[in-house]
Amino acid sequence: KKFLWLLLLLLFTGFIFFNSSLPAETSYKASGLLASGLTADAAIGDPMPVDRLEARLRKLAHFVEFAVLAMIMVNTFISWRVSNRVASGYILFGLAVAVADEYIQLSVPGRTAQVTDIVLDFCGVFINGCAAKYGCGAKNSAAKYNNKIRCK
């Protein structure tokens, strides 16, 4: 099971880097298609312009992508029985992946590296990593009790 989590971590990190290597035109098509679909389905009030919605969806995607990465990292560290102090390194690993992700985009046509994207990525890692590590739900409450972790 621990090798499965490690493999999933490597594959998902590769998925993040693959998305960064896509040319801007390809990347914008995917988010534009989603934004168009969402505005077409909006039934209440004035729909947000597609370009504004697309920009917000792209930023949300950064956060969600790295929140999922954090969940996978925490589960990988748990499955390998890494101590809590060392496991906090998931934050540094997440930050390193975020910086590498933006660095890859520097060499991709039409793409740029943005500090705001690194901040969003880091927030996804930090918030979801803390939630996964320190507990939401009964399973994590039992883990907190067994590991004598105190949450405030």
Side-chain angles (χ1 to χ4, degrees):
K1 192 172 182 178
K2 64 184 182 179
F3 288 105
L4 184 62
W5 279 113
L6 183 60
L7 178 63
L8 187 58
L9 177 62
L10 295 173
L11 288 173
F12 196 77
T13 303
F15 170 75
I16 290 172
F17 292 156
F18 172 76
N19 282 335
S20 291
S21 70
L22 294 175
E25 184 179 321
T26 305
S27 180
Y28 289 134
K29 278 183 186 176
S31 56
L33 183 64
L34 180 60
S36 296
L38 288 174
T39 55
D41 291 339
I44 300 173
D46 293 330
M48 183 183 293
V50 174
D51 58 335
R52 281 184 47 207
L53 181 59
E54 180 183 352
R56 290 182 181 175
L57 285 172
R58 295 178 71 73
K59 297 302 177 186
L60 179 63
H62 272 275
F63 181 86
V64 169
E65 195 174 48
F66 278 79
V68 171
L69 180 68
M71 181 202 64
I72 295 169
M73 282 189 286
V74 168
N75 282 305
T76 301
F77 288 146
I78 289 170
S79 70
W80 284 84
R81 300 187 190 280
V82 176
S83 76
N84 282 338
R85 287 187 182 153
V86 175
S88 295
Y90 76 87
I91 294 172
L92 294 176
F93 181 78
L95 182 60
V97 172
V99 170
D101 179 45
E102 292 302 308
Y103 184 76
I104 288 169
Q105 291 182 26
L106 287 173
S107 63
V108 177
R111 305 283 297 261
T112 60
Q114 295 182 351
V115 174
T116 55
D117 289 347
I118 294 173
V119 171
L120 282 168
D121 297 344
F122 180 75
C123 287
V125 167
F126 184 77
I127 292 170
N128 196 43
C130 286
K133 188 174 174 189
Y134 296 117
C136 302
K139 182 178 178 183
N140 285 341
S141 295
K144 284 188 294 187
Y145 178 77
N146 291 335
N147 293 326
K148 306 215 180 340
I149 296 171
R150 302 267 189 251
C151 297
K152 295 182 181 182

